[in-house]
Amino acid sequence: MRSPRRCSRNGCPRQAVATLTYVYNESTAVVGPLAAFAEPHTYDLCEPHARSLTAPRGWDVVRHEGEFEPPPPTTDDLVALAEAVREAARPAPRPPEPDQKHDNPHQTGRRGHLRVIPPNH
């Protein structure tokens, strides 16, 4: 299931409500409402971090003046939730029967991404 976007600041567990974008050629940091999609080179921020952001000396900060609202749930969130519930309700696969396991102890087989190769006799 997809979880809500979290603040990009290290150790901050809060939900993101704003997006920070740096405009390097204008030495400007822009803090606006949360972007619809996470983009490379942007940072999601919670409200306290969005309000308290400072920029390096010589840089300007352009900050959204309205309220930062958490994003509403999307149909993608509802679909992801429904899929997670369906997957959790599926019965677990049955283990192989004991007779099938030990028919040939030197049988070649696969386990995940590894392949078992019998020793040469």
Side-chain angles (χ1 to χ4, degrees):
M1 181 172 88
R2 192 180 75 167
S3 62
R5 286 162 44 191
R6 298 282 177 208
C7 183
S8 296
R9 297 289 299 262
N10 285 338
C12 183
R14 292 188 279 269
Q15 181 178 6
V17 295
T19 297
L20 166 65
T21 307
Y22 289 108
V23 183
Y24 292 99
N25 61 349
E26 295 180 19
S27 300
T28 304
V30 180
V31 180
L34 187 65
F37 300 98
E39 297 285 336
H41 310 294
T42 63
Y43 304 89
D44 294 337
L45 299 173
C46 63
E47 186 163 5
H49 285 126
R51 298 265 179 230
S52 65
L53 178 87
T54 59
R57 187 178 305 154
W59 281 59
D60 295 317
V61 176
V62 176
R63 196 181 321 267
H64 174 70
E65 300 230 356
E67 293 295 316
F68 290 113
E69 297 288 327
T74 65
T75 55
D76 291 345
D77 294 333
L78 296 175
V79 169
L81 178 60
E83 288 174 1
V85 169
R86 269 189 234 115
E87 186 167 330
R90 282 191 194 124
R94 293 184 358 177
E97 296 294 323
D99 300 64
Q100 295 172 349
K101 257 191 205 178
H102 302 292
D103 283 347
N104 182 357
H106 299 292
Q107 181 178 1
T108 301
R110 292 188 68 83
R111 290 199 173 249
H113 66 284
L114 302 175
R115 192 172 71 173
V116 178
I117 300 174
N120 291 332
H121 289 292

